[in-house]
Amino acid sequence: MALRLVEIYHPDTDEALEVPDDTYDVLGHWTYAIDDDQRVDRVLLEVEETESFLDWVDDTVVTEYRVVLQSVEATLPRPEVEAEEDDEDAEDDNEVSVARVGRAELYEYARDATDVSGYYYSLIALSVVVAAGGMLRDQTAVVIGAMVIAPLIGPNLALALGTTLGDPDLLGRSAWANLTGVGLALGGSLGLGAAMTVDPTTGELAVRTVIGLPDIALAAAAGAAGALAVTRGGATGLVGVMVAVALLPPVVATGLLFGAGHPGAALRAGLLTVTNVVSLNLAAVCTFLLLGVRPRDWRDVAQARTSTRIALALWGSALIVLALLLWRFA
């Protein structure tokens, strides 16, 4: 059972928060003044209840406040696992039933993932060099190593999250992170392709010029797995490798082949890249929706619904067009 410690700092003139026990399964609640002007309420909850609880705090605490959310590794004595409630209680509007981390944690992940710093660009550049070397030497293990380095999971999941929440700022930052990352990878591999001898029949290159339904399924599975990993608060390292499988090698193959003067093969690798991007983001958005990721404010909900519908229509239409192209030129 994943737990979160929610700390609510508010003016000491306020009374301690009266958390409704009939709505939230509070595992612990401590409150005390920390100085002459400030009070803190610490509430221990299961991770599934944090989003609804933070919404309740926002409605209840009318004065200025600050919330700090901490992951709890363990607590003693261990919380008892209660029996499942009956169906009537589970259908209560106030009952929290979403088995995922809260909206605040998802936003924090997306904020970190779209930080296009020198570190981000350095990892992209290094992963391109490693991937290009592995492809030119036809060494699969080296290409896998490049996918371990590439930080491509964060910007793509942030893009899908921004689409789901209808957040223009998050959409803009995640789109910029994706475009600059892919642009750097493509530009670097173009330069390497122009400077080195590239054999398009090499196994690791040739496989990126053949496109089929398994490639669409792979990218979709990567997007869904990434969204699941983030919403469960789990580690995304291994899932990030899977996302990089769908993105990094096709981009590098496209650049190498174009730079070496093989436009036909490069176009097929580029088509694979676009297909994977579309499939990955479409699957991630659908997964976020199925897990109940929504904005809080009703005005934001309406905006998010419009944004999601437009995105699903665009991603879906693009995927259909790409599938038709694959069928036509297969």
Side-chain angles (χ1 to χ4, degrees), residues 4-6 8 19 26 28-30 41-45 53:
R4 294 293 186 270
L5 181 64
V6 184
I8 306 104
V19 181
V26 178
H29 182 193
W30 307 270
D41 280 81
R42 291 178 172 173
V43 182
L44 184 64
L45 296 165
F53 178 72

Side-chain angles (χ1 to χ4, degrees), residues 14-157:
D14 297 343
E15 296 181 354
L17 293 178
E18 295 293 335
V19 181
D21 294 334
D22 57 341
T23 303
Y24 305 101
D25 184 14
V26 178
L27 304 176
H29 182 193
W30 307 270
T31 178
Y32 48 88
I34 54 178
D35 54 36
D36 294 336
D37 302 318
Q38 199 171 43
R39 169 175 292 275
V40 61
D41 280 81
R42 291 178 172 173
V43 182
L44 184 64
L45 296 165
E46 293 185 26
V47 66
E48 292 86 354
E49 296 195 307
T50 55
E51 181 174 295
S52 178
F53 178 72
L54 292 178
D55 290 343
W56 176 82
V57 170
D58 193 46
D59 292 332
T60 304
V61 183
V62 295
T63 54
E64 183 179 354
Y65 69 91
R66 169 71 62 183
V67 169
V68 177
L69 193 61
Q70 299 186 45
S71 177
V72 178
E73 297 297 331
T75 180
L76 294 175
R78 291 191 299 269
E80 295 182 0
V81 179
E82 298 182 357
E84 294 185 1
E85 299 182 4
D86 55 47
D87 293 339
E88 182 178 351
D89 291 337
E91 293 174 358
D92 190 340
D93 290 339
N94 292 327
E95 188 71 26
V96 180
S97 58
V98 180
R100 60 171 175 81
V101 300
R103 193 186 307 109
E105 292 186 63
L106 292 176
Y107 262 117
E108 189 63 22
Y109 170 83
R111 185 185 69 82
D112 292 339
T114 54
D115 181 17
V116 286
S117 60
Y119 176 73
Y120 173 75
Y121 292 131
S122 297
L123 288 181
I124 291 289
L126 292 172
S127 64
V128 169
V129 173
V130 175
M135 289 182 176
L136 294 176
R137 291 178 175 270
D138 198 20
Q139 295 179 339
T140 303
V142 177
V143 178
I144 294 174
M147 293 182 289
V148 173
I149 299 173
L152 297 176
I153 181 173
N156 280 277
L157 291 181

Side-chain angles (χ1 to χ4, degrees), residues 236-257:
T236 58
L238 293 177
V239 180
V241 176
M242 186 176 179
V243 171
V245 168
L247 299 179
L248 181 67
V251 172
V252 175
T254 302
L256 287 174
L257 292 168

